[in-house]
Amino acid sequence: MKTAILAEGLKKRYRETDALAGVDLAVSTGSVLGLLGPNGAGKTTTVRVLATLLRPDAGRAEVAGADVLTRPDEVRRRIGFTGQNAAVDALLTGRENLVLVGTLLHLGRSAARARATALLEEFGLTEAADRPIGTYSGGMRRRLDLAACLVGRPSVLFLDEPTAGLDPVSRMTLWQAVRRLVDDGVTVLLTTQYLEEADYLADQIVVISAGQVIADGTPDELKRKIGQEWLEVSVLSPASLATALAVLAPLAVAAPTVDEAKNKIALRLRDGMEGVVSVAVSLRDAGVDITDFALRKPSLDDVFLALLGHPTTQP
Ligand code: ATP
């Protein structure tokens, strides 16, 4: 598989802060990399270097087949970049904004108009197309911002905290739009503080802290590093709790945890997923009435707590 984004040993220092202290990254064409880390970790600095907006002090990077230091113009022609604030003019309408971008990219007047119409349709903005974007909601603005950076059909897209501050519905709409782009072969590098977002969108996650990569892998690999999945069984009554415990204890790696207030037992199974069926059969044979039976995986929040000793979002 081809590599669309490659960074080797990127360093950037601001006075006494090492914003980047040697960052390496590789993103395969048509995949999504989630760059995660707490405030000040160096996420935005990394993206700005890769998008040719900032020169690193050391290291090299290639984006969409061109070197960011020696062929920045080629990189710029092939990428799209959305910042944390929608970079569009609030006095112009949605359509005017997109046509303006197309004109700046020398698409020609009629091609720019056609592209604008298609993108407005794709992002559900047709009805609002001829209203000044000052009247748009936050979610609509983000969608327009994303549409604006797609006018030039970039092959690599940088999304810096694309859904910060959006409500869950707007966030899902944007996620789905990103998924469609990836299905069409676009490569995405996404920075986010939302673990859920990385979990939903990213094929690969890189965790940075104090300018250094401290972990990388697929969301599942990172979760597995922290611990295996566990089984939670809730039963109908306190009486069946004792019976259930007697059935479950021999199947568990260690003594199960019992929550008497909720009639719930949590345990790690000796045989992993294989053991789930025998647990269900044994409980049924023992006549235990089950109200909930769920396999739980550690969340990315658990991963962060384990890696950093604190969650990603600092107070
Ligand atoms: P956030 O999640 O808060 O956006 P981030 O991971 O994107 O954080 P960066 O913005 O890349 O982090 O910043 C990395 C470090 O470099 C921080 O300590 C920041 O204070 C510092 N820094 C960034 N830009 C500058 C600048 N122009 N001048 C001085 N220091 C800077």
Side-chain angles (χ1 to χ4, degrees), residues 34-296:
L35 191 58
L36 285 186
N39 288 129
K43 302 182 295 292
T44 302
T45 306
T46 305
V47 170
R48 289 176 63 81
V49 167
L50 295 173
T52 77
L53 299 170
L54 187 68
R55 277 186 81 86
D57 299 331
R60 61 179 290 273
E62 263 180 39
V63 173
D67 189 295
V68 296
L69 291 175
T70 58
R71 290 154 64 203
D73 292 344
E74 272 174 67
V75 172
R76 277 179 217 141
R77 271 198 296 277
R78 296 173 196 169
I79 65 170
F81 177 80
T82 71
Q84 291 170 26
N85 300 307
V88 278
D89 188 330
L91 293 175
L92 298 181
T93 67
R95 189 186 307 279
E96 285 165 345
N97 264 288
L98 297 187
V99 172
L100 178 66
V101 175
T103 311
L104 293 173
L105 292 172
H106 309 294
L107 289 190
R109 186 90 193 143
S110 68
R113 289 196 71 80
R115 185 83 181 121
T117 303
L119 284 166
L120 288 162
E121 175 74 34
E122 189 179 333
F123 285 91
L125 293 168
T126 302
E127 266 179 43
D130 298 308
R131 274 177 21 208
I133 65 158
T135 67
Y136 283 20
S137 69
M140 290 162 80
R141 272 188 177 232
R142 292 297 172 82
R143 278 184 276 148
L144 188 74
D145 193 29
L146 183 54
C149 79
L150 295 176
V151 171
R153 300 182 193 277
S155 61
V156 173
L157 200 56
F158 294 100
L159 305 176
D160 195 8
E161 304 200 6
T163 63
L166 291 188
D167 65 54
V169 175
S170 304
R171 181 173 298 166
M172 182 54 77
T173 310
L174 216 104
W175 287 355
Q176 286 166 345
V178 173
R179 276 254 170 108
R180 283 198 301 275
L181 291 167
V182 175
D183 288 344
D184 288 343
V186 173
T187 307
V188 175
L189 191 154
L190 163 97
T191 77
T192 184
Q193 293 201 17
Y194 299 119
L195 303 166
E196 219 194 322
E197 182 157 280
D199 210 1
Y200 185 89
L201 284 176
D203 300 296
Q204 199 76 14
I205 290 177
V206 165
V207 184
I208 61 172
S209 178
Q212 282 181 314
V213 174
I214 57 163
D216 71 287
T218 64
D220 279 342
E221 278 167 359
L222 288 179
K223 288 180 205 168
R224 266 203 300 276
K225 270 191 193 168
I226 303 311
Q228 298 152 338
E229 50 220 347
W230 68 95
L231 182 71
E232 279 180 5
V233 180
S234 301
V235 297
L236 193 60
S237 63
S240 42
L241 198 61
T243 318
L245 192 59
V247 171
L248 294 173
L251 304 168
V253 174
T257 318
V258 181
D259 182 340
E260 290 185 6
K262 292 183 179 160
N263 291 334
K264 187 159 54 176
I265 299 172
L267 68 154
R268 291 196 196 283
L269 291 177
R270 194 171 293 153
D271 305 329
M273 292 287 274
E274 302 280 300
V276 173
V277 176
S278 53
V279 170
V281 171
S282 309
L283 288 170
R284 187 196 59 196
D285 291 350
V288 177
D289 287 324
I290 298 165
T291 54
D292 191 31
F293 188 89
L295 209 55
R296 308 266 187 234

